[in-house]
Amino acid sequence: MSEIERIRNFCIIAHIDHGKSTLADRFLEITGAIDKRKFENQMLDSMELERERGITIKAKAVRLKFTYKENDYILNLIDTPGHVDFTYEVAKSLKACEGAILLVDASQGVEAQTVANFYLALEADLKIIPVVNKIDLPNADVERTLGQLNDIFGFKKEEVSLVSAKAGNGINEVLTRVIEEFSAPQASADAPLKAILFDSSFDVYRGVILFVRIFDGRITAGDNIFLMRKKITYKVEEVGIFLPSMEKKEFLSSGEVGYICCGIRDPHEVEMGDTVTNPDNPTLSPFEGYKKIPPMVFCGIFPSQSKSYPVLRGAIEKLRLSDSSFVYEPDNLGSLGYGFRCGFLGLLHIEIVQERLEREYNLDLILTSPSVMYKVNTTTKEVVYVQSPHQLPDPSSIGEVYEPFVKASIIAPIDEMDAICDLAKSRRGTFVKMDYLGKDRLSIVFELPLGEIIIDFYDKIKSITKGYASLDYEFIEYRKTEIVKIDILFNKKQVEAFSILVHKEKSEARARMVVEKLKELIPRQMFEISIQAAVGSKIIASERVSALKKNVTSKCYGGDITRKRKLWEKQKEGKKKLKQMGNINVPQEAFLEVLKM
């Protein structure tokens, strides 16, 4: 048996919190890939943020060795995220694999991302092994889960492996199935070099590190490589594999997954999905590359101190390396100075990027309210794409406005159907269809404006169903709508960072919520603060923060009342002057709280 016939490249796909990282831990333990003294839970989740939240954010690769029928096999495992906001990480991983383990929690059953990830693997033409996890839990309902796998995907009972990743039950059987059922890479060591660049990271000393899967040929330190899309040639300084830490090797050959160091210093020179080949003998059939996933939610990121702008720029460029779905462009808001207008796949994506920038680069940031991209047809027949409130053209020049709509699939218990339908309709949703998934669950599909679901729609669904629902959505098209811009004024001065774009029907309710929240958050100052929400020149909501009352007459013992009145008048004049000239102290919590609204 040749070396390439003993290689298996596979990934684990599942809904969030179904036990992917725990299953990967057991694989590492059983195959002896990690010293037991160094072992810790969520071994592949190397980011502190991943461990804290108990979620996988980045796809991770690791090389395992497993002995089967007296042969040593090399298993290249890629652990993937499960949250809808990180679907692009799953899609990238699938391109580097021949098979996928579809993991389902026995207590939760099939959920929205289970379905979405199954079809992603099917599109990538991968062999799929269904595995039911957490069978040892008291509330596990294995029969119901097996029924769902059969009804939805057509898997027979005997095709499904039952495991407990935490206890380690059934893990050897799954590894055996990986070897028996997943095919070895179809590759040739003699063909011209052909590898896919599926991920990258930045090292302060070594520059950009490329993560690749070799399809044909081999790469040795000292070789020249050519990135076909970027049309740039580099000299390879080091190659290696993931064990799970990076370990140097002499070469990488067909079918292997590993890393390449070329001393690349500019992150812009690297594009995910690019084809790596030999400049002297290039491959004739480069990869198509990854399908670009357009950002769904936009928000401004600004440093709290203007001197931190260069640090923020460098941090964003490096972060973009390991997160290709994150897009950005320079922006400038009068009240916040220079920053970046950034595009994300969802609200969790915003939170993760913000926390990574603050922790990894020691930055203090201010984020503007999230919004979606609107399409505006002006009266002069020009088409303008609007990502933020300050980009909206003058109302007199707006002809028609279009907003993005998505198809949202909600999987939930049957008992909660009415409450979910009411919530979707309150968000301007249109019912499309409903399918029953076994006896107690159903899938409901709605068409909804993206702007209505990006903030708290998922949280509301989870609350209604006591945590038993899941959501997945995909962009459909732009549809005609009525959008207005709400400006927030402090003492009649507009603060651009708080401006929001909302549907005309909901403008008054949203404006009232924002000004009431700001009244709670802004501390009292030496002068009165009026907080107003305006659409154009019309004030639609207003609140006031009363001034601090300094008792200037506390030292006046006795005497004529006119003496006190004189001091009060003097104080009133001072406050009036402060109101005209004083700067309002808006705490950062106010920005973040309005963002969450």
Side-chain angles (χ1 to χ4, degrees), residues 315-561:
I316 281 180
E317 285 176 358
K318 286 168 190 168
L319 186 66
R320 173 82 170 79
L321 266 180
S322 61
D323 189 348
S324 52
S325 67
F326 167 59
V327 298
Y328 65 92
E329 60 181 34
D331 197 8
N332 180 19
L333 284 183
S335 54
L336 295 175
Y338 288 97
F340 293 90
R341 187 78 195 157
C342 304
F344 305 88
L345 295 182
L347 223 61
L348 177 65
H349 196 192
I350 293 179
E351 280 185 50
I352 296 301
V353 167
Q354 182 193 355
E355 287 202 43
R356 285 188 69 185
L357 288 171
E358 289 184 337
R359 288 182 186 205
E360 293 172 26
Y361 301 96
N362 198 25
L363 287 162
D364 190 14
L365 303 174
I366 293 171
L367 278 75
T368 61
S369 300
S371 64
V372 297
M373 185 185 282
Y374 297 97
K375 190 164 80 172
V376 179
N377 289 348
T378 64
T379 49
T380 57
K381 305 298 180 189
E382 187 186 350
V383 178
V384 179
Y385 285 93
V386 174
Q387 299 172 5
S388 64
H390 71 277
Q391 293 176 338
L392 191 72
D394 187 81
S396 61
S397 65
I398 295 174
E400 293 175 334
V401 181
Y402 297 85
E403 68 177 327
F405 268 69
V406 295
K407 184 169 78 174
S409 303
I410 303 161
I411 294 178
I414 288 174
D415 299 344
E416 313 299 344
M417 181 183 74
D418 292 341
I420 286 171
C421 289
D422 289 342
L423 174 66
K425 284 170 186 172
S426 73
R427 300 297 177 93
R428 299 188 284 130
T430 309
F431 177 80
V432 177
K433 66 173 183 175
M434 182 170 65
D435 296 313
Y436 286 88
L437 310 176
K439 295 174 184 176
D440 59 346
R441 307 193 95 192
L442 48 78
S443 167
I444 318 171
V445 179
F446 285 94
E447 288 182 359
L448 290 144
L450 179 61
E452 294 284 353
I453 70 168
I454 59 168
I455 308 294
D456 63 346
F457 187 71
Y458 186 52
D459 291 341
K460 286 273 196 316
I461 284 176
K462 280 284 187 187
S463 178
I464 288 168
T465 60
K466 301 174 183 67
Y468 284 103
S470 55
L471 169 74
D472 183 48
Y473 60 85
E474 60 177 308
F475 172 72
I476 319 170
E477 61 181 355
Y478 277 90
R479 293 182 186 172
K480 193 175 175 181
T481 188
E482 286 188 274
I483 295 295
V484 294
K485 178 187 174 188
I486 298 176
D487 292 316
I488 303 298
L489 313 173
F490 292 98
N491 289 348
K492 300 185 180 177
K493 290 178 186 173
Q494 183 184 335
V495 178
E496 195 74 61
F498 286 111
S499 296
I500 47 176
L501 297 173
V502 294
H503 192 263
K504 193 175 181 180
E505 285 177 13
K506 301 197 170 186
S507 58
E508 289 194 24
R510 183 66 68 85
R512 170 61 46 204
M513 281 168 60
V514 172
V515 295
E516 285 177 358
K517 193 71 182 174
L518 286 170
K519 185 188 176 183
E520 286 175 31
L521 295 167
I522 290 177
R524 290 171 68 188
Q525 292 168 44
M526 289 302 294
F527 52 93
E528 183 183 281
I529 302 168
S530 71
I531 307 166
Q532 297 170 315
V535 173
S537 58
K538 183 184 176 185
I539 304 296
I540 57 172
S542 179
E543 286 290 347
R544 155 183 102 79
V545 179
S546 58
L548 285 169
K549 291 180 170 57
K550 188 177 178 185
N551 194 352
V552 291
T553 58
S554 59
K555 292 179 183 177
C556 295
Y557 300 103
D560 190 62
I561 188 66

Side-chain angles (χ1 to χ4, degrees), residues 282-312:
T283 179
L284 300 174
S285 54
F287 296 106
E288 290 178 11
Y290 294 132
K291 180 184 170 187
K292 295 273 186 188
I293 300 178
M296 292 288 180
V297 186
F298 295 85
C299 122
I301 296 182
F302 295 85
S304 59
Q305 295 179 318
S306 57
K307 66 181 180 183
S308 303
Y309 175 75
V311 181
L312 175 62

